[in-house]
Amino acid sequence: MSNRIALLSSTGGSVVKTLLRNNPDINLDLIITDRKCPAENISDEFSIPNIRIDEKSNIKFSGKLLEILISNNIDYVVVFFSRLLQGNILNNYNNKLINFHPALLPDFPGMNGFERAIRNQKKFIGSTVHFIDEGMDTGKKIIELRYHRKNECKDRLRHIVFSQQVASLNEVLKNLKNNRDLNTLGPENKKDNTNLDLLSKESLLIYKKLIQSS
């Protein structure tokens, strides 16, 4: 039986929406938000159930989230979220909460990672997919994609990182739906992870399509 996967989001959901529009074989089973946000529109467009948790306390939010995940038989959660998860959910869903961060770690954790990388004039920019633990973007890496900057403008670099995230999300969801262990995707299992060698052909095609269409 295929894993059941939820999206946890407090953002616009553009990465998820772009992937679902570009790969009809990918689907989600539930969308969970903590506020009214554009990510909820994905529910209407793709007929995915949506639940909003109105709770300002992180620990109470995390508790209610855990109840919803269990009651909906959710196996994994892909996370585009701006708050820390706390409490029992970290144990109950150990290595099953997967965060998509628009910067390279551990250099730029937390909010505005992409912007801070640009301000610091780093030679490499990129994106990181990692398991969530009790820290701020400190969990084990699953996929890390790097891009060697040249003379691109900020908007172009932002689009490159966005395209990396869409392709990485496809890679994660494809493997989860096929019941594959995400630990085998980790950078430590590859000889080189400076560019796109962590991606399958399918995910690489999605990345190239997005890059060429911009």
Side-chain angles (χ1 to χ4, degrees):
M1 182 178 295
S2 179
N3 286 308
R4 285 178 55 80
I5 304 169
L7 164 67
L8 174 62
S9 182
S10 57
T11 68
S14 56
V15 170
V16 177
K17 187 181 299 183
T18 299
L19 176 59
L20 294 178
R21 288 174 175 173
N22 279 274
N23 188 353
D25 294 329
I26 291 292
N27 65 291
L28 295 167
D29 299 285
L30 181 65
I31 295 173
I32 304 169
T33 60
D34 68 337
R35 69 195 74 177
K36 182 175 176 60
C37 61
E40 293 182 333
N41 298 334
I42 299 172
S43 175
D44 296 328
E45 182 173 348
F46 297 96
S47 300
I48 303 170
N50 177 65
I51 298 174
R52 188 190 302 171
I53 304 174
D54 291 312
E55 182 58 69
K56 297 190 182 300
S57 162
N58 281 0
I59 190 69
K60 290 182 179 180
F61 175 90
S62 298
K64 290 182 179 179
L65 173 62
L66 177 58
E67 293 176 3
I68 289 170
L69 296 178
I70 292 173
S71 65
N72 284 274
N73 299 311
I74 296 298
D75 299 296
Y76 288 87
V77 187
V78 293
V79 179
F80 294 81
F81 201 57
S82 59
R83 295 165 60 178
L84 284 176
L85 299 177
Q86 299 175 325
N88 291 334
I89 192 170
L90 298 177
N91 294 320
N92 287 60
Y93 277 81
N94 181 44
N95 286 349
K96 293 186 175 183
L97 302 168
I98 303 159
N99 188 51
F100 290 76
H101 186 69
L104 297 175
L105 297 172
D107 290 347
F108 300 103
M111 300 292 288
N112 303 314
F114 170 79
E115 286 75 12
R116 285 184 282 134
I118 296 299
R119 284 200 304 269
N120 281 272
Q121 299 182 336
K122 288 292 185 177
K123 180 168 64 174
F124 285 94
I125 60 164
S127 59
T128 310
V129 184
H130 64 91
F131 293 116
I132 290 177
D133 59 14
E134 66 278 359
M136 174 69 76
D137 296 323
T138 55
K140 181 182 178 181
K141 294 178 184 178
I142 301 170
I143 300 174
E144 180 183 74
L145 299 179
R146 295 172 176 262
Y147 179 79
H148 191 174
R149 294 177 60 182
K150 303 176 183 67
N151 298 314
E152 300 92 346
C153 67
K154 182 178 179 180
D155 286 345
R156 178 62 177 173
L157 293 173
R158 189 188 302 276
H159 183 71
I160 289 170
V161 171
F162 172 82
S163 301
Q164 288 178 348
Q165 289 196 288
V166 176
S168 295
L169 178 60
N170 183 78
E171 195 72 10
V172 166
L173 292 180
K174 179 170 68 76
N175 278 274
L176 289 180
K177 287 296 184 181
N178 289 313
N179 298 307
R180 294 173 184 155
D181 183 5
L182 293 182
N183 285 292
T184 63
L185 301 178
E188 66 274 11
N189 297 308
K190 305 290 183 178
K191 293 181 179 179
D192 176 30
N193 64 307
T194 56
N195 291 306
L196 301 167
D197 59 294
L198 296 181
L199 299 177
S200 64
K201 289 183 179 179
E202 178 185 273
S203 300
L204 184 58
L205 284 174
I206 290 173
Y207 173 82
K208 290 181 176 179
K209 177 182 178 181
L210 294 174
I211 289 295
Q212 293 168 0
S213 65
S214 65

